[in-house]
Amino acid sequence: MQEAIYFEPIVKERIWGGQRLREYGFSIPEDVPTGEVWTLASHPNGTTRVETGPFVDFDLEELWSNHPEIFGMETDSDFPLLLKWIDASTDLSVQVHPNDADARRYEQQPYGKNECWYIIDCPEDASLIHGHSLSSPKEFDEAVRQGTLLQSLHHVPVSKGDFLYVPAGTVHALTEGCVVLEIQQNSDTTYRLHDYDRLNPVTGTLRTLHIEQARRVIRFPHYRYLEPSVTLSSSRRRLTRNPDFFVEEWTIRQTHALDPSPSFRIITVVEGTIELDDVVLSVGATALLPAGSKHVVSGDGLMLVTGPAPKTTKPFRIGVDLGGTQTRVAVVDQENVIKQLSFPTNPGAGPGQTISHIEHAIRYFSEEFHLTNIGIAAPGPLDARTGHLLSPPNLPGWDDVDLVTPIASRFELPTCLENDANAAALGEALFGAGKTSSSVYYVTVSTGIGGGYVHEKKLIRGANGYAGEIGNTIIDSSGPVHPVLNTGSLEGLASGTALQSRASEKEASSVEMLLTLPSERTRFINHLAIGLANIIHTVDPEVIIIGGGVTESADVFWEELICRVRELVYSALRPSIDIRLATLKGHAGVIGAAYLG
């Protein structure tokens, strides 16, 4: 068995550093603001050296260059990763990193800097800067000119044990009191946008900002990144797998075998005490496990395992959920959203901008995944056969827009367009609350009310593509006027918009508060129940699934709603009434879109 390899950490003085890394087992100079400890590095700004064993006194660069068998991969390029512990004694500068292409173009460096943070400790009310609200370089320039850049930044609340992935191009900053383990590409290229007027301790002048360099690599608009963690076993949780590295969190409470891996792995103890092959490791300890080696871990603690990401050839689908305020692009595998990028839609800028942003997100995912299909869910009215939006109220000015052709031709993949409610219906019928049923009617009760009907796992679109549009059915002809739909329509009476309007009239602070009022709850239940009873009498589905934002208050009205529906249908149907809450929730549309066609 090849032994684990341990390295001597490198201590880095930083103007924003402190002394807290002592608490994690690192030997740092007294009274020196230590911001970083590099525990595994092979970089011109520092390379770690082997502490013990047959390779003692080799630095990581020498080991990488002369012993490829340790790493299980080609070593003709630079070592790919850098691990560091960070003590943010004060706020770090607001900064951004280039991606690989930008690093080569502007810095003649091999790597950009995708990185991630594992929160070792932080204040109770901590938040980190991750993203911005600026839609274009022009808005960025104006924010810099007016000194309002800080007001445009997104703050993300964090707690101990949280994990954040920070793709290149993301404006970000650690904040005061946070201690993190950072796993990143092997790069030290950083562009500062704001530095709180701190002085260089050597020259006494303001530290340099890199506004022009940052402007070139920031992504406009900011793409919110979602990658749900994946439970691999009772003790293992994958936090990320991207083209540059993977990260897993291992909970060690008993003895575990680390089976051989074709490439090297790195373990870092982040909590408790762990024994690796009879060597006791405390918090802060890092070990490199050679490729093909077997190891045993035991003890009581947490460790992170990282290394080069394994390649996958499995086919995946892309789902796009185009909304009036937000667009989401996701890699989908059945009911699972593997990764997702989302951004503000900005209808006023025209469809070309949004199509360009969608293409960027798909291109980003195509670098990692083998993609086979693209499906787009969008607000109607639309023509699914031609791939055109017609004149959707949620996207004013988008008249007769061809969404499918530019995206299909750009990626040379089958691409489909569908009404957003139909896509959500398909998602719930295939993988959600209706997956065991042959006849599923889906109703979304959200800002508006939409519907879709799926029979034998196939969407029923009707002669003109409008089948299932329950929101425009008339419930009470004397009801309120709707700006687009029929007077007294179901949407005009029972949608989230309608309920919010009623809440304002009744001086209720929220829709949920409105529904605690008996008369208002009865009013809402009666309107929605009439709509559901009409569905049952028209198509007789095996199950009706209800989703959308209003269902977040379902515990207030659900049982009464079911009872009222039963009262409104034929007595012979009452025993078989099956109405369920959606299980895919906010992901139904993007999942259904991925499985169109």
Side-chain angles (χ1 to χ4, degrees):
M1 178 180 68
Q2 289 182 287
E3 296 180 356
I5 303 173
Y6 300 91
F7 295 82
E8 181 70 29
I10 301 171
V11 175
K12 295 286 186 178
E13 181 178 349
R14 296 288 186 261
I15 193 172
W16 39 261
Q19 292 280 301
R20 283 200 65 189
L21 294 182
R22 288 177 176 274
E23 301 172 19
Y24 302 95
F26 297 111
S27 177
I28 60 177
E30 293 184 10
D31 302 322
V32 173
T34 299
E36 300 177 355
V37 172
W38 293 13
T39 55
L40 194 72
S42 176
H43 189 274
N45 293 341
T47 182
T48 48
R49 190 171 294 275
V50 179
E51 286 186 307
T52 59
F55 300 105
V56 65
D57 288 336
F58 275 59
D59 64 35
L60 181 54
E61 171 58 30
E62 293 171 319
L63 208 61
W64 174 254
S65 300
N66 298 305
H67 293 277
E69 74 279 1
I70 290 175
F71 303 96
M73 57 192 300
E74 295 292 334
T75 59
D76 51 356
S77 60
D78 292 345
F79 185 76
L81 301 178
L82 195 159
L83 274 68
K84 62 176 72 166
W85 288 62
I86 300 176
D87 169 18
S89 182
T90 59
D91 291 341
L92 271 66
S93 60
V94 180
Q95 55 192 246
V96 67
H97 306 303
N99 59 25
D100 287 355
D102 287 337
R104 290 190 291 266
R105 181 182 302 116
Y106 301 125
E107 302 292 342
Q108 293 73 55
Q109 296 294 322
Y111 296 125
K113 191 176 178 184
N114 292 309
E115 65 187 25
C116 62
W117 297 326
Y118 185 88
I119 311 301
I120 302 295
D121 197 16
C122 63
E124 285 188 11
D125 58 350
S127 65
L128 305 180
I129 293 172
H130 192 278
H132 62 83
S133 60
L134 304 170
S135 64
S136 66
K138 183 178 179 180
E139 284 192 11
F140 172 79
D141 294 341
E142 187 66 14
V144 171
R145 188 183 68 80
Q146 294 189 359
T148 59
L149 181 64
L150 290 183
Q151 285 71 40
S152 73
L153 303 179
H154 292 163
H155 292 260
V156 179
V158 292
S159 302
K160 179 179 178 180
D162 283 352
F163 178 85
L164 278 81
Y165 182 57
V166 188
T170 302
V171 176
H172 63 279
L174 294 173
T175 54
E176 180 178 348
C178 292
V179 176
V180 308
L181 170 61
E182 181 172 291
I183 299 169
Q184 58 164 90
Q185 286 183 276
N186 188 8
S187 169
D188 207 23
T189 303
T190 297
Y191 301 140
R192 296 191 202 106
L193 290 85
H194 182 83
D195 196 39
Y196 307 99
D197 293 331
R198 282 187 282 230
L199 301 179
N200 184 306
V202 176
T203 65
T205 58
L206 291 173
R207 294 211 303 170
T208 303
L209 299 181
H210 313 96
I211 301 299
E212 285 304 312
Q213 296 96 319
R215 184 184 188 274
R216 292 186 303 204
V217 304
I218 294 171
R219 182 64 205 176
F220 299 102
H222 169 62
Y223 284 60
R224 291 185 181 272
Y225 179 90
L226 170 69
E227 181 181 4
S229 63
V230 177
T231 300
L232 303 174
S233 72
S234 59
S235 60
R236 293 173 59 197
R237 184 167 65 105
R238 187 171 69 225
L239 304 178
T240 185
R241 183 173 63 192
N242 58 70
D244 302 302
F245 51 81
F246 76 91
V247 181
E248 294 178 7
E249 180 189 67
W250 285 53
T251 302
I252 307 301
R253 298 288 183 263
Q254 56 189 18
T255 300
H256 298 266
L258 283 166
D259 294 329
S261 169
S263 60
F264 74 94
R265 290 167 294 179
I266 305 160
I267 69 167
T268 299
V269 181
V270 296
E271 184 179 299
T273 302
I274 289 173
E275 192 171 301
L276 172 66
D277 302 331
D278 301 323
V279 176
V280 177
L281 305 178
S282 300
V283 172
T286 294
L288 187 149
L289 310 182
S293 60
K294 292 183 179 180
H295 302 272
V296 175
V297 291
S298 59
D300 186 5
L302 291 177
M303 68 180 191
L304 296 191
V305 181
T306 187
K311 304 300 181 184
T312 177
T313 58
K314 179 180 177 179
F316 290 90
R317 294 168 175 261
I318 288 286
V320 180
D321 190 354
L322 169 60
T325 57
Q326 179 179 252
T327 296
R328 300 185 295 155
V329 182
V331 180
V332 175
D333 181 21
Q334 297 191 23
E335 73 271 25
N336 298 310
V337 170
I338 307 300
K339 293 186 180 182
Q340 178 178 282
L341 294 172
S342 59
F343 57 87
T345 302
N346 191 13
Q353 183 187 84
T354 297
I355 291 172
S356 175
H357 294 336
I358 291 171
E359 289 178 347
H360 170 83
I362 297 173
R363 186 167 59 250
Y364 178 89
F365 289 136
S366 70
E367 295 174 0
E368 180 178 358
F369 298 97
H370 171 49
L371 304 177
T372 61
N373 298 79
I374 300 170
I376 306 170
L382 54 79
D383 188 335
R385 292 168 296 188
T386 65
H388 283 232
L389 294 179
L390 299 181
S391 54
N394 290 350
L395 300 168
W398 289 35
D399 301 324
D400 195 26
V401 173
D402 184 354
L403 277 183
V404 168
T405 300
I407 293 173
S409 59
R410 172 68 179 80
F411 296 100
E412 298 183 342
L413 291 174
T415 304
C416 297
L417 174 67
E418 188 52 79
N419 176 282
D420 48 11
N422 278 352
L426 185 62
E428 285 289 344
L430 293 179
F431 304 112
K435 64 183 178 181
T436 61
S437 303
S438 62
S439 175
V440 177
Y441 201 108
Y442 174 81
V443 179
T444 177
V445 186
S446 190
T447 304
I449 292 182
Y453 183 41
V454 180
H455 184 71
E456 300 293 350
K457 308 303 180 184
K458 299 291 185 183
L459 272 172
I460 306 300
R461 295 182 172 89
N464 300 294
Y466 287 88
E469 288 293 351
I470 188 66
N472 198 31
T473 58
I474 299 171
I475 302 300
D476 179 358
S477 61
S478 65
V481 174
H482 191 282
V484 177
L485 305 180
N486 287 320
T487 296
S489 65
L490 179 60
E491 180 170 311
L493 289 164
S495 66
T497 301
L499 292 176
Q500 191 60 58
S501 177
R502 293 286 296 178
S504 297
E505 292 174 10
K506 298 293 181 179
E507 297 184 352
S509 59
S510 65
V511 167
E512 185 167 12
M513 179 64 70
L514 176 77
L515 294 177
T516 62
L517 303 175
S519 62
E520 291 298 324
R521 183 170 64 253
T522 298
R523 183 178 188 271
F524 164 71
I525 287 170
N526 193 56
H527 290 146
L528 183 55
I530 291 171
L532 299 181
N534 289 341
I535 292 169
I536 292 168
H537 284 135
T538 304
V539 298
D540 191 20
E542 184 178 346
V543 60
I544 293 178
I545 298 169
I546 303 180
V550 173
T551 61
E552 295 175 7
S553 304
D555 57 333
V556 177
F557 63 80
W558 190 254
E559 293 303 323
E560 292 178 67
L561 175 66
I562 304 303
C563 291
R564 182 59 179 143
V565 172
R566 288 197 173 110
E567 292 173 357
L568 294 173
V569 301
Y570 288 132
S571 58
L573 287 174
R574 292 170 186 169
S576 61
I577 295 298
D578 189 352
I579 302 176
R580 307 174 189 172
L581 284 170
T583 57
L584 299 180
K585 300 187 183 298
H587 292 317
V590 78
I591 290 172
Y595 283 85
L596 294 169

